[in-house]
Amino acid sequence: MTEQITLANDLGNGSMKLGFDNSDWTVIPSITADQRKQDLIAPMTFDSQEQQDAYVSNLFKHMDVSVQSPNVSVSNRMFVGQAASDSNLLTHSFDVNDFAGKSTTDLAMILTLASIGAKAIKQNYINNQHQLANDIHVNVTMTTALPIAEGKKPHVVDAYRQRFMEADHLVTFYNFAQLINVKIHFDLVTVALEGETAQYAIRKANPQLADGIQADFAKHYPQLAEAMGDTPIYAVNDTLGIDIGEGTTDMAVFSNGELNTIASSSLNSGYGNVLEQAIADLHNQGFNINSRLELQQLLSGPANPLRQAKIDKALTAVNAQLDQMCDQIVRETSSVLRQVSNKVDVIYVYGGGSIPMEPVLRDQLMTKIKAFVGDIDVPVVFIPNNYAQYLNDLGLNMILKAIMTSQQATQKTTDENNNANFADFGGVQ
């Protein structure tokens, strides 16, 4: 039996936000770790069915794989995602200082294919009465996105799509006593632009997101919020979205509700650059942090008296780098606003980097923007923390649902026509 999977794939420089089959998001660190001969571990054995069930259920945290694909240059065995983080081996992540885009990297392919393979095993395991199969075939319909500046380049979007679609791919999992080979075929891949998809999520905000947007607006612009009355701020058509990721900051301009690709742009740096600079500062102080992920885990982890001094030191190093990054974002915002004159009515700020940068960035943006419109307020609205990192994935899910609905409608029309033609020839329905 061939498994069928739909995937909204928000592949970030720091983490992948994955929406499989319109279910809850799965978040996976965007890292791998190559295994040397001495690093190979024995496959898992289980004392009970319950142990095996639990392990398969959490397979995203245990990915031990190799990838064979004509569009991936490496085929060695590696840990992917959380397993790479837990391995204490040298990890590979997206280089936030590199001008090369995601579309040309092996890492983007490996992370995506390994995650699809894990999902296919989990899905097949349930469909196969909780038994592991050696060979699994899966067909995938996927939506994903590229940074605006990268996606605007000629032929890049199509070339990225074809890396997935022009050939099948094989992912081998080494976790179990039996090797499991997952053959992946992409039926359809749709590539959008980061920031563009987030704006779709804002325009069609669910009640909780809508309430959060309105609350931020009313808190910082109470007179404007009162003047708007019952018209929600997220219904405005002319907007600028500032999407602060780990490796890029995308500026998505919407005019009359449509993406203005000419005015939209990307800044080739993000919150990951702040973290890299903080790590360099900490190293100079004799404080050992090996990766951006390790630094983020320290800052977001539980605080206790034994760790608090480490957290404080790391936070001080990060905060010392924020001003420079904020300046870059404000300058890029100025450049975008210069192009669109006074045709932006609301500015939204979101992405994982917006959360730690909000206290500094909000005031700088509000001050700068007034200078462009004669000291008149243009609302700067920060998306609530619980949604800020997931807007692009929400938008990708919306695009995916629209694609699947369209395909189902087309299939229904085809079936009805076929049935009608069959009846014309004397067939019995």
Side-chain angles (χ1 to χ4, degrees):
M1 180 179 68
T2 299
E3 302 296 331
Q4 304 288 333
I5 286 176
T6 64
L7 169 61
N9 178 12
D10 181 14
L11 176 53
N13 286 281
S15 63
M16 302 177 70
K17 279 74 70 178
L18 304 171
F20 284 106
D21 303 321
N22 297 317
S23 62
D24 292 337
W25 296 303
T26 298
V27 182
I28 297 171
S30 295
I31 57 174
T32 64
D34 294 336
Q35 298 181 51
R36 302 161 299 181
K37 185 176 180 179
Q38 65 267 34
D39 302 319
L40 303 181
I41 59 175
M44 286 295 299
T45 57
F46 306 100
D47 295 328
S48 66
Q49 185 69 42
E50 289 74 18
Q51 282 186 359
Q52 180 171 290
D53 290 349
Y55 186 85
V56 173
S57 177
N58 289 302
L59 189 55
F60 286 122
K61 295 182 179 180
H62 306 299
M63 291 187 285
D64 179 359
V65 307
S66 63
V67 174
Q68 289 80 46
S69 166
N71 293 322
V72 175
S73 61
V74 296
S75 58
N76 53 292
R77 186 169 162 181
M78 66 188 77
F79 294 116
V80 175
Q82 190 61 46
S85 175
D86 294 340
S87 71
N88 292 322
L89 298 174
L90 177 66
T91 59
H92 302 283
S93 59
F94 289 106
D95 185 350
V96 296
N97 299 304
D98 192 352
F99 287 102
K102 292 178 190 173
S103 63
T104 59
T105 64
D106 278 347
L107 187 58
M109 296 288 296
I110 291 168
L111 291 167
T112 298
L113 295 173
S115 300
I116 291 171
K119 175 63 177 179
I121 291 173
K122 292 177 62 175
Q123 185 168 300
N124 180 267
Y125 185 73
I126 293 172
N127 294 337
N128 197 31
Q129 288 75 50
H130 290 225
Q131 298 299 313
L132 292 165
N134 292 95
D135 296 290
I136 300 171
H137 290 199
V138 58
N139 292 341
V140 182
T141 298
M142 182 175 77
T143 54
T144 189
L146 289 172
I148 289 175
E150 184 177 1
K152 284 169 61 174
K153 295 177 182 177
H155 313 302
V156 166
V157 164
D158 188 59
Y160 188 47
R161 181 190 300 113
Q162 288 305 314
R163 289 190 75 189
F164 293 103
M165 292 191 64
E166 69 184 4
D168 290 346
H169 318 269
L170 185 69
V171 182
T172 299
F173 282 75
Y174 299 87
N175 299 76
F176 307 98
Q178 63 202 67
L179 294 181
I180 300 180
N181 294 308
V182 183
K183 184 178 180 181
I184 300 172
H185 172 82
F186 287 91
D187 290 328
L188 180 65
V189 175
T190 299
V191 182
L193 300 179
E194 294 172 5
E196 173 189 16
T197 53
Q199 187 62 31
Y200 294 152
I202 292 171
R203 288 292 303 277
K204 297 182 180 295
N206 63 44
Q208 186 180 23
L209 174 58
D211 289 346
I213 292 172
Q214 289 295 130
D216 191 88
F217 175 49
K219 177 180 178 180
H220 294 93
Y221 304 92
Q223 294 180 329
L224 282 177
E226 184 177 354
M228 289 284 287
D230 294 332
T231 302
I233 189 67
Y234 53 83
V236 172
N237 282 329
D238 298 307
T239 63
L240 167 62
I242 303 176
D243 182 5
I244 308 173
E246 184 143 339
T248 59
T249 299
D250 290 297
M251 306 277 177
V253 178
F254 277 75
S255 302
N256 297 319
E258 300 292 333
L259 181 69
N260 183 337
T261 54
I262 296 174
S264 298
S265 67
S266 295
L267 181 65
N268 198 41
S269 58
Y271 187 63
N273 298 87
V274 172
L275 297 176
E276 294 274 6
Q277 293 158 7
I279 289 171
D281 182 21
L282 289 168
H283 285 174
N284 288 335
Q285 300 178 55
F287 188 96
N288 187 36
I289 289 286
N290 293 316
S291 67
R292 301 193 305 270
L293 178 62
E294 186 178 332
L295 178 55
Q296 288 174 308
Q297 289 174 338
L298 173 63
L299 294 174
S300 62
N304 60 56
L306 297 175
R307 297 175 63 89
Q308 191 59 55
K310 298 176 184 178
I311 294 172
D312 291 343
K313 192 173 191 68
L315 187 60
T316 298
V318 170
N319 287 339
Q321 315 303 322
L322 285 180
D323 279 340
Q324 184 174 355
M325 185 65 209
C326 287
D327 286 345
Q328 292 182 51
I329 292 173
V330 170
R331 285 199 300 271
E332 187 69 17
T333 303
S334 298
S335 176
V336 171
L337 291 176
R338 176 75 69 178
Q339 294 184 62
V340 296
S341 185
N342 61 351
K343 297 177 182 177
V344 168
D345 295 327
V346 182
I347 295 175
Y348 295 104
V349 188
Y350 44 86
S354 70
I355 299 170
M357 296 182 70
E358 186 269 339
V360 179
L361 184 58
R362 186 192 292 269
D363 289 341
Q364 291 191 21
L365 282 173
M366 291 172 69
T367 300
K368 173 62 70 173
I369 290 159
K370 276 190 173 186
F372 276 86
V373 286
D375 205 36
I376 298 172
D377 277 325
V378 174
V380 177
V381 177
F382 276 69
I383 298 300
N385 290 359
N386 57 332
Y387 278 97
Q389 194 175 1
Y390 300 103
L391 280 188
N392 279 305
D393 201 58
L394 272 175
L396 288 169
N397 265 309
M398 291 176 182
I399 295 172
L400 186 60
K401 287 180 181 178
I403 290 170
M404 300 308 295
T405 300
S406 176
Q407 288 179 343
Q408 291 166 4
T410 300
Q411 184 61 49
K412 181 180 179 182
T413 300
T414 301
D415 291 344
E416 289 173 347
N417 290 338
N418 289 341
N419 288 337
N421 292 337
F422 185 58
D424 289 342
F425 284 96
V428 179
Q429 298 185 45

